[in-house]
C-alpha cells in the first residue's frame, strides 16, 4: 500500500515499486520516438509511438515484457540526467527530480485517471504507431516537444483549475 502523499515526503530513490509506478500519469509521451542529431546531440521529438504503445489507451501492451520486446526501451528507474532529458517536462519523475510539484491534472492529485487526457497532456489520438511509419519518413513526423498542449482542468463544479 502506498504511503500517504509519498511524492511529497520521500525522494524518488526512496519510493517503493508500487509508489514509483503510481507516479506514471499514463500520458504516453515517453513512448514517442525521438531522433538525436549525432553531431549536436539535439533531441527531436516525433508523433510516432513505440509499437507496444496502445495509442488508444496510452498504455504499454506488453509492459511486463517491454525490455525483452523492444531492445531500446529505456528503464526510467534509476533516473539519470540522460534519462531526464528524454522525458517530457510534464513527467512526474522529471518534475519531482526538479523539485516541482505534481501538476493538478496528475491522477494522484485529481483522483481521476482521465484527467491526463482531459488536460490535453496525453498523446491519445495524437500519435501513430511506428508499425505504420517507415524509418525513412520519421523526419516528416517531427513535432515541437510541447506538441501536446495543456488545457485547464475543469472540475465537476465547472470551474477550471486556473480559477479555483
Amino acid at each position: 500500500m502506498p504511503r500517504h502523499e509519498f511524492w511529497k515526503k520521500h525522494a524518488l530513490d526512496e519510493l517503493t515499486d508500487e509508489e514509483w509506478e503510481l507516479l506514471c500519469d499514463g500520458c504516453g509521451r515517453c513512448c514517442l520516438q525521438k531522433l538525436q542529431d549525432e553531431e549536436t546531440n539535439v533531441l527531436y521529438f516525433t508523433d510516432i509511438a513505440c509499437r507496444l504503445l496502445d495509442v488508444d489507451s496510452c498504455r504499454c501492451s506488453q509492459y511486463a515484457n517491454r525490455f525483452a520486446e523492444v531492445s531500446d526501451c529505456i528503464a526510467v528507474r534509476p533516473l539519470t540526467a540522460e534519462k531526464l532529458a528524454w522525458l517530457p517536462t510534464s513527467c512526474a519523475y522529471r518534475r519531482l527530480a526538479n523539485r516541482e510539484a505534481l501538476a493538478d491534472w496528475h491522477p494522484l492529485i485529481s483522483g481521476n485517471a482521465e484527467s491526463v487526457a482531459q488536460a490535453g497532456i496525453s498523446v491519445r489520438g495524437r500519435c501513430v504507431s511506428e508499425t505504420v511509419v517507415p524509418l525513412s519518413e520519421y523526419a516528416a513526423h517531427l513535432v515541437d516537444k510541447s506538441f501536446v498542449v495543456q488545457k485547464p482542468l475543469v472540475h465537476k463544479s465547472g470551474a477550471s483549475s486556473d480559477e479555483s
Side-chain angles (χ1 to χ4, degrees), residues 10-16 20 77-78:
H10 302 280
L12 287 170
D13 61 356
E14 298 173 338
L15 300 182
T16 66
W20 183 268
R77 191 177 196 184

Side-chain angles (χ1 to χ4, degrees), residues 103-105 119 150-155 157-164:
D104 65 344
W105 48 260
Q150 182 175 350
K151 298 182 279 188
L153 180 61
V154 177
H155 297 283
S157 68
S160 75
S161 60
D162 295 338
E163 298 168 1
S164 37

Side-chain angles (χ1 to χ4, degrees), residues 51 66-74:
R51 65 184 170 84
R66 66 194 182 280
F67 303 119
E69 296 287 327
V70 177
S71 62
D72 59 349
C73 183
I74 297 174

Side-chain angles (χ1 to χ4, degrees), residues 46-49 127-141:
T46 72
D47 63 357
I48 303 168
C127 60
V128 295
S129 174
E130 69 182 353
T131 61
V132 298
V133 181
L135 189 56
S136 62
E137 294 180 19
Y138 273 36
H141 287 267

